[in-house]
Amino acid sequence: MPLNLPIFLTWLRIVLIPLIVGIYYLPNIICTLQNKNKIAAAIFTLAALTDWFDGFLARKLNQTSVFGAFLDPVADKLMVTATLLILVQLFRLDAAVALVIVGREIAISALREWMAHVGASERVAVNFLGKFKTVCQMIAIPMLLYYAPISILGWFAVNTRVLGAMLLYLAALLTICSMLYYMKLAWPQIRDRTSC
């Protein structure tokens, strides 16, 4: 297993997941819900930044690897799934929305693995729609973890509950659209392999 700075950052992202979950299991006498929300949102934001930074460094330092390409999406999916489950448990997200997002991740991961097995992985490479969906998720989730107004420059407040929910519903819609797009790209291979 190679170990370099990009892979270290990916492992750091995985290590941060139990911290985001665990903070909500602290007794309220030790940490109030408001403080739990702030800490969880900060940890998630840090983890999301490592997601961008590890890919940037891997390309910049020419430290891309097969293991890194495998571990990075696993870390992302673990992080998003864990936080979506927390949001459902806190009644800040409908379970159906979480199921759509997590279900799509499982389905597309399986599709990519199968396409790689048949030698056509380039047909389902990440595209703009999938990247935009990820950006919406990575902004929405810390907002829903924070779950309180954020004052900007002391005069403008952002309602993170409303904006976070809107962005996550948009992410769910983009999730469905991107899944259909990937299925359309993969369909010729699926049809050819299943018709034999």
Side-chain angles (χ1 to χ4, degrees):
M1 176 184 72
L3 186 59
N4 52 38
L5 184 55
I7 289 177
F8 172 78
L9 290 174
T10 305
W11 278 116
L12 176 62
R13 191 156 72 253
I14 293 171
V15 169
L16 290 175
I17 296 166
L19 295 179
I20 298 171
V21 175
I23 194 74
Y24 285 101
Y25 285 91
L26 290 175
N28 288 335
I29 197 165
I30 294 175
C31 190
T32 65
L33 181 59
Q34 186 178 14
N35 285 335
K36 291 175 187 178
N37 291 341
K38 289 177 182 177
I39 293 167
I43 294 172
F44 184 91
T45 302
L46 174 64
L49 289 173
T50 68
D51 180 27
W52 174 82
F53 207 52
D54 65 6
F56 171 78
L57 285 176
R59 290 184 296 275
K60 186 81 172 171
L61 302 174
N62 197 24
Q63 293 181 339
T64 57
S65 66
V66 174
F67 182 74
F70 155 77
L71 190 63
D72 184 64
V74 170
D76 295 346
K77 287 164 183 49
L78 285 172
M79 184 175 71
V80 169
T81 301
T83 51
L84 290 179
L85 289 173
I86 291 168
L87 293 173
V88 169
Q89 186 177 4
L90 294 170
F91 302 103
R92 298 178 190 176
L93 177 66
D94 191 280
V97 175
L99 184 60
V100 165
I101 293 171
V102 173
R104 179 266 188 198
E105 296 299 341
I106 293 169
I108 295 304
S109 293
L111 178 66
R112 284 194 175 120
E113 185 177 335
W114 183 79
M115 291 292 280
H117 180 71
V118 299
S121 59
E122 72 284 348
R123 303 202 83 190
V124 287
V126 176
N127 70 353
F128 173 76
L129 200 57
K131 289 181 179 179
F132 186 54
K133 179 266 305 178
T134 300
V135 169
C136 289
Q137 281 179 180
M138 295 304 184
I139 295 171
I141 290 173
M143 285 186 166
L144 290 175
L145 287 171
Y146 189 78
Y147 217 60
I150 297 175
S151 179
I152 298 175
L153 302 175
W155 59 272
F156 179 72
V158 174
N159 187 334
T160 61
R161 297 177 186 192
V162 173
L163 186 56
M166 288 171 56
L167 283 171
L168 212 47
Y169 277 100
L170 175 60
L173 177 64
L174 291 170
T175 289
I176 295 168
C177 293
S178 65
M179 184 174 72
L180 294 174
Y181 175 77
Y182 289 130
M183 291 300 291
K184 179 183 173 186
L185 292 178
W187 182 248
Q189 291 290 332
I190 296 169
R191 184 190 56 224
D192 293 347
R193 303 278 189 219
T194 56
S195 62
C196 297

